[in-house]
Structure formats: C-alpha cells, structure tokens
Amino acid sequence: MLHRCLAGLLLATAATSASANAWTQQRGKGQVIVKAEAMRAKEGYDPTGAVLTLPAEREDRSLGLFVEYGLTETLTLQFKGDWQSGEDAFVDYVGRGPVELGLTWQAYRDDRNAVSLYAGYAMAGDGRNAGYAAPGVGDQDWEVRVSAGRSLGGPGRGLAGGWGPDRSFVEVQAARRMRDGLPDETRADVTFGSHFGEGWMVLGQAFGGMTDGDGARWLSVETSVVRNLGQWSLQAGWRRTVAGRETPLAEGAVIALWRRF
C-alpha cells in the first residue's frame, strides 16, 4: 500500500581512506555516525509502478546512530538504531525504531579489493499509533549481507593536472533480510566515492530492494558531500526515490556527523 515506508540504508565509512562496509575496521579502531533524515512525499507508486497523488502528504523523520568497532583485524562489531516519527493520511507514529546488532567478517582483502560478510539481528521499535509498529521491520529480523569493494587510484593521481579526484572507490552490496511477521526482503546497494585531497569526498549512492511475492519495490538515489575535519567529518546530501511499487515517491535532506576513534 502507498502508506508503507520502505527505505534502504547505507552508511559509508571514514573519509580518510577509500573504505566502506566491504573494508572492516582495524583492531581497536572504530567510528560513530549520527545521521538525521527528513523525507517528504506527495506522490507514490501504485502496484503497477505508476505515479499517483497520495491522499495526504507523507513525512518521515529519523535520527539514527551507527557504531562500528574492530574486535580483530578481520572482525568488526556493528550497531544500528534510530528514533523515528512521521505521519500521512493513515498513520501518525513516533518512537524508537529498529535496533540491530551484527558482525562483519573480512573474507578477503588486498591492496585494492575487499570482500566481507555480515550477519545481524534486529528487534522492532516501539513507534506506535494504535498498535502501529515502526515501518519496514518485523518483530525479530535476521539479515545476511555480502559486500565487495575496489579502490581506484591513489594519492597524486588526479585528472587533468590536479582537477578531479585523486582516488576513488566503488562498492556493491547484496542482502537478504528474513522478517518475522512480514514478507522477507532482498536488497542491493551500490556506492561510488571520490576523494578530493584529504579534506573532501563526494558520494553517489543507489539502493533498492523488493519484498517477496507481489509486495513493495523501491529504488532510491542519494548524492552527498563529506567534509573531513581530522577525527570528525560532516556529510550533507539529498535523497530521492526514482522507481518503485507500493512505496512513496519521497525526497529530502540527509545530514550526518562522523567521529572516528
């Protein structure tokens, strides 16, 4: 139905290296990311993929926390959680969103390439409106994910005499989420990142998925700029749904603050 809120989440890691979820953290190293999102939709995709006007404007807001810490050189602990609120013609909800805890294992890594495997467990949030639970998650979910990344270029390899990125990376992820009480999901994410010196990075991301059977489909794109300030980084960007079925055509700003330790 059009009032479902279905969104993928991909959080890239530190701007100081060509890294994303395919690359695990070093032992004893980690990072914290606080991310705020505000998405609005006046239209949505029906079961055939056609765009229709929603009965009322939909708004979804969240303040999320992502933490990862290197337990060993090949094993990273991850935590995700957020606070959600929103409303549309059917629901008005507020409360804690899903909480997820998982482990990422570095299956392969060399100077340019990396492959990792992730397994996580999530519990539903307590967002509520006459029993309405926070959207997009079952009571107890399991997720398995494979990530593959490749570093492109290195410092001093910018284009056209210094104009353009001096190094970049690309990463592809595929995930299967087994949801308790809801149809299972298959997800896919692609990220391309380019570093401009040590202070700036530009990210282009696409993430989508589908539920089993004749359920929802969604594809969103996001562009953002990351400013590196030593141990801190500030990210600002814009996300928009570009295709789907039974999902809002939403767009809005995303802002994140990263702290490496």
Side-chain angles (χ1 to χ4, degrees), residues 12 169 191-193 201-205 222-226 235 258:
F169 70 91
T191 299
F192 183 81
M201 180 170 67
V202 176
L203 288 173
Q205 301 171 272
E222 180 179 314
T223 57
S224 61
V225 176
V226 180
Q235 177 186 7
W258 305 356

Side-chain angles (χ1 to χ4, degrees), residues 77-102:
L77 179 68
Q78 292 186 355
F79 169 85
K80 300 177 186 178
D82 63 10
W83 184 267
Q84 302 179 348
S85 65
E87 60 274 337
D88 63 11
F90 304 95
V91 297
D92 185 354
Y93 69 91
V94 62
R96 177 180 58 80
V99 174
E100 182 173 333
L101 188 66

Side-chain angles (χ1 to χ4, degrees), residues 107-183:
Y108 175 81
R109 184 168 183 170
D110 60 24
D111 290 342
R112 290 194 177 274
N113 305 292
V115 177
S116 69
L117 302 176
Y118 170 84
Y121 169 76
M123 296 185 298
D126 62 359
R128 50 194 174 270
N129 174 65
Y132 175 75
V137 67
D139 293 333
Q140 299 183 70
D141 294 359
W142 289 92
E143 180 172 307
V144 291
R145 180 180 294 261
V146 58
S147 302
R150 179 172 175 80
S151 175
L152 308 171
R157 299 185 183 181
L159 303 176
W163 294 97
D166 55 13
R167 62 196 190 281
S168 302
F169 70 91
V170 62
E171 184 195 52
V172 178
Q173 299 186 14
R176 180 67 174 170
R177 194 172 189 96
M178 286 67 73
R179 304 194 300 171
D180 181 21
L182 294 171

Side-chain angles (χ1 to χ4, degrees), residues 51-66:
V51 177
L52 299 177
T53 301
L54 295 174
E57 182 175 285
R58 178 180 181 91
E59 183 170 356
D60 294 286
R61 299 169 295 272
S62 69
L63 181 64
L65 176 67
F66 174 81

